[in-house]
Amino acid sequence: MNESRTTCRICHSPEIQPVLSLGTTPLADALRQKEQLLQAESKFPLNVAFCPHCSLVQLLETVPPDVLFCQDYPYYSSFSPALLQHSRANAVDLIKSRRLNANSLVVELASNDGYLLKNFVEYGIPVLGIDPAEGPARAAEKIGVPTVCTFFGENLARELSANGKTSDVIIGNNVLAHVADLHGFVEGIRILLKEDGVAVIEMPYVKDLVDHCEFDTIYHEHLCYFSVTALDRLFRMHSLFLNDVKRLSIHGGSLRIYVEKEENVSATVRAMLQTEAAEKVDQIDYYRDFAHRVEGIRTELQRLLQRLKQQGARIAAYGAAAKGSTLINYSDIGTELVDFVVDRNTHKQGLYMPGQHIPVLAPEALLERNPDYVLLLAWNFAEEILQQQKEYQQRGGRFIIPVPNPRVI
């Protein structure tokens, strides 16, 4: 069912080298219903490799996209206030800087539940969402965001372009890393983009992932982990140019890149390419050291939780997100250590975490059951969650932050 690669996803070099194995794990977003708990769960190897030719960090296995992202995909962007705020600021900035109006077209690839495009709709700017997940796509239509429920690629781009739907702005947030056919996707962007248009794309930054040891952002949906060096090479292969870049704090450290058809590379991009070379982000030893630190976190976290449990502590977790699934499965944290997980996403409540089958409840359970400690699986939204959970903390509850060094706060 899954395909194991022997060549690089960008440059097709056969010399890709394994750097980290997170074991054989279930799909990170495949939460279980109660009646499924006794059924066999599909599991896939989670192995990370590095390409010495183009610097791309990538998974060796590809799970078919229709298995990952279609019918029961449980991720709805609108459940995170921080993400909504981040997205609105990006939209307002683009409306001003690109002088968008009623004659413009903004297309979002992997538009989810319309969380971002609704900001353009509010300003009277025509939009089109493209997303293969039926639930989120239906939710987007309900709030007035026209959405095509399918995967984006070269063929769809040709079809839209032939129908006069070329785009002034193409947005793709946290989607490029998910794409099995990178070249088809990037060529689709080139076809759909107007000559003076811009593609604005966000993805986690591999340098932040490595420097802060954010190994739990590695899961089967994320096939690629990009440096600016690798991205620059990828887009140039399609006569597109990475002209500008912003570093963002969201999701543990991300890039927002601005890609155009004319080459006009900013000093910021040039400086980041130089920094990556100086810090050896394009060399394998950088990633081997990371793998060693990841193993250390697993050992340390297991010891901390076991010690607290032996002292009679009750432990819960916050965040039934994909990263939480990677962390609990790689670190072998099950119901013997964590009693339950809470999450604001109502689509996940009442389900069970993949692999470890820890039940998912509403956040109110923290005050109802008063666990002594909460393992913060969604550490990328720590500020927002700690703010929400002030009452729990005032009652003496404490949080455990697992990454980059497990610690109690």
Side-chain angles (χ1 to χ4, degrees), residues 73-88:
Y73 189 57
Y75 183 76
Y76 287 70
S77 301
S78 292
F79 281 98
S80 168
L83 187 61
L84 288 175
Q85 204 177 338
H86 168 86
S87 304
R88 184 171 178 79

Side-chain angles (χ1 to χ4, degrees), residues 18 23 26 35 60 72 89 97 132 149 157 172 185 236 297 299 306 309 372 388 405:
E35 57 273 21
L60 289 174
D72 298 324
S97 64
C149 187
F185 191 87
R236 283 178 185 271
I297 289 179
T299 306
Q306 283 160 0
K309 207 71 184 163
D372 303 294
Q388 280 168 20
N405 304 105

Side-chain angles (χ1 to χ4, degrees), residues 128-354:
L128 178 66
I130 300 168
D131 198 293
E134 288 173 22
R138 275 199 304 270
E141 287 278 358
K142 277 183 190 161
I143 59 164
V145 173
T147 304
V148 181
C149 187
T150 188
F151 287 98
F152 176 75
E154 200 174 333
N155 292 341
L156 180 62
R158 287 192 193 286
E159 199 182 306
L160 291 170
S161 180
N163 291 329
K165 287 207 179 293
T166 51
S167 185
D168 297 271
V169 175
I170 295 175
I171 296 172
N173 291 346
N174 295 300
V175 58
L176 194 65
H178 296 68
V179 173
D181 177 15
L182 271 182
H183 290 288
F185 191 87
V186 173
E187 185 59 18
I189 290 174
R190 190 191 65 75
I191 291 163
L192 195 59
L193 200 60
K194 286 183 180 170
E195 288 307 305
D196 61 350
V198 64
V200 183
I201 304 167
E202 288 183 22
M203 67 286 291
Y205 185 24
V206 75
K207 190 173 179 306
D208 288 323
L209 186 156
V210 171
D211 291 351
H212 307 139
C213 224
E214 298 163 357
F215 71 91
D216 53 350
T217 53
I218 297 169
Y219 38 91
H220 297 101
E221 287 94 325
H222 282 175
L223 299 171
C224 298
Y225 303 84
F226 293 106
S227 58
V228 178
T229 305
L231 287 164
D232 186 55
R233 287 173 183 164
L234 170 63
F235 285 103
R236 283 178 185 271
M237 288 169 86
H238 294 269
S239 302
L240 291 169
F241 302 95
L242 199 172
N243 283 338
D244 205 2
V245 61
K246 288 180 183 172
R247 288 187 73 170
L248 310 168
S249 61
I250 198 163
H251 299 307
S254 298
L255 297 173
R256 179 184 291 154
I257 62 171
Y258 297 80
V259 173
E260 295 168 303
K261 291 185 172 181
E262 290 283 316
E263 185 170 8
N264 184 19
V265 180
S266 69
T268 314
V269 172
R270 284 197 293 270
M272 285 188 76
L273 290 169
Q274 284 167 358
T275 300
E276 287 183 358
E279 297 190 19
K280 302 187 175 167
V281 173
D282 56 355
Q283 293 179 32
I284 195 163
D285 287 347
Y286 181 73
Y287 302 97
R288 286 196 173 133
D289 172 63
F290 163 67
H292 180 67
R293 286 183 290 131
V294 168
E295 287 161 17
I297 289 179
R298 175 175 62 178
T299 306
E300 221 177 302
L301 185 59
Q302 283 172 334
R303 280 183 190 150
L304 172 61
L305 295 176
Q306 283 160 0
R307 190 175 73 245
L308 292 173
K309 207 71 184 163
Q310 281 158 6
Q311 291 166 2
R314 286 167 309 124
I315 306 170
Y318 196 116
K323 56 165 20 79
S325 180
T326 292
L327 191 130
I328 63 170
N329 283 299
Y330 173 65
S331 304
D332 199 21
I333 297 166
T335 47
E336 73 293 343
L337 290 172
V338 170
D339 300 336
F340 60 93
V341 178
V342 299
D343 199 287
R344 288 186 69 184
N345 185 336
T346 49
H347 300 276
K348 295 181 179 183
Q349 292 163 13
L351 301 178
Y352 293 78
M353 291 294 282

